[in-house]
Amino acid sequence: MSGCIFCAIIAKDAPSWTVYEDEHAIAFMDINPATDGHVLVVPRRHVKDLWEIGERDAGQVMEASVRVAAMIKRALEPDGMNILHATGAVAFQTVFHFHLHLVPRTRGDSIKLPWIPRPGEPSRIAAVAERITATG
Ligand code: AMP
Ligand code: ZN
């Protein structure tokens, strides 16, 4: 899609440090890394977000992500890893071409959980679960 930086990277019209490519997905270094080895995995097809991607493309991106996560593990030997995704500006999405962030983690690094875990009210959890289940 014209104007999309990730489509430009996929087309090799914009520079990137690409670390993995297959028929359906490509992975390149994030230029604002949260930690060393922060990689973005994206579908070649331009889709905006989790609500647009569809199960088949999402599966292909996840397969590529598992492969790239193994590559990062072999290369950098992190203690752990987060997969992060943002759908919508409200959820911190800034590039509107679907992507998964692979963020290698090291014990004692500065990354924090973005919410404070607190027990929910069981009746509220159950009511919301019922609303979600009803749409399935
Ligand atoms: P998000 O906020 O989840 O939409 O993440 C978008 C990510 O894309 C950010 O972490 C940016 O640092 C990253 N990013 C933006 N432009 C580029 C680029 N040209 N090459 C690599 N990463 C990029
Ligand atoms: Zn795009």
Side-chain angles (χ1 to χ4, degrees):
M1 196 184 89
S2 82
C4 172
I5 182 60
F6 290 178
C7 283
I9 288 172
I10 291 161
K12 313 280 185 217
D13 290 334
S16 72
W17 287 280
T18 293
V19 294
Y20 173 86
E21 291 190 71
D22 65 29
E23 196 185 340
H24 305 292
I26 136 165
F28 49 87
M29 307 305 290
D30 196 304
I31 53 169
N32 300 293
T35 64
D36 278 348
H38 181 170
V39 166
L40 301 173
V41 186
V42 315
R44 286 191 183 275
R45 190 166 79 85
H46 180 92
V47 288
K48 190 170 61 165
D49 59 26
L50 193 57
W51 290 322
E52 200 173 88
I53 187 164
E55 293 177 10
R56 193 198 52 190
D57 284 11
Q60 290 161 346
V61 172
M62 196 62 206
E63 282 178 20
S65 298
V66 170
R67 289 186 205 125
V68 176
M71 292 166 66
I72 293 170
K73 184 166 190 267
R74 285 197 293 273
L76 306 179
E77 299 181 345
D79 298 316
M81 179 163 291
N82 285 114
I83 289 191
L84 302 173
H85 167 76
T87 279
V90 71
F92 312 129
Q93 187 174 12
T94 59
V95 176
F96 292 86
H97 179 134
F98 183 96
H99 50 282
L100 297 181
H101 296 256
L102 302 188
V103 181
R105 300 295 306 277
T106 307
R107 261 177 226 98
D109 68 23
S110 60
I111 308 290
K112 298 274 180 284
L113 197 64
W115 65 89
I116 301 165
R118 290 194 194 96
E121 171 56 44
S123 62
R124 187 181 174 97
I125 295 172
V128 176
E130 202 167 306
R131 286 174 63 192
I132 295 169
T133 308
T135 71

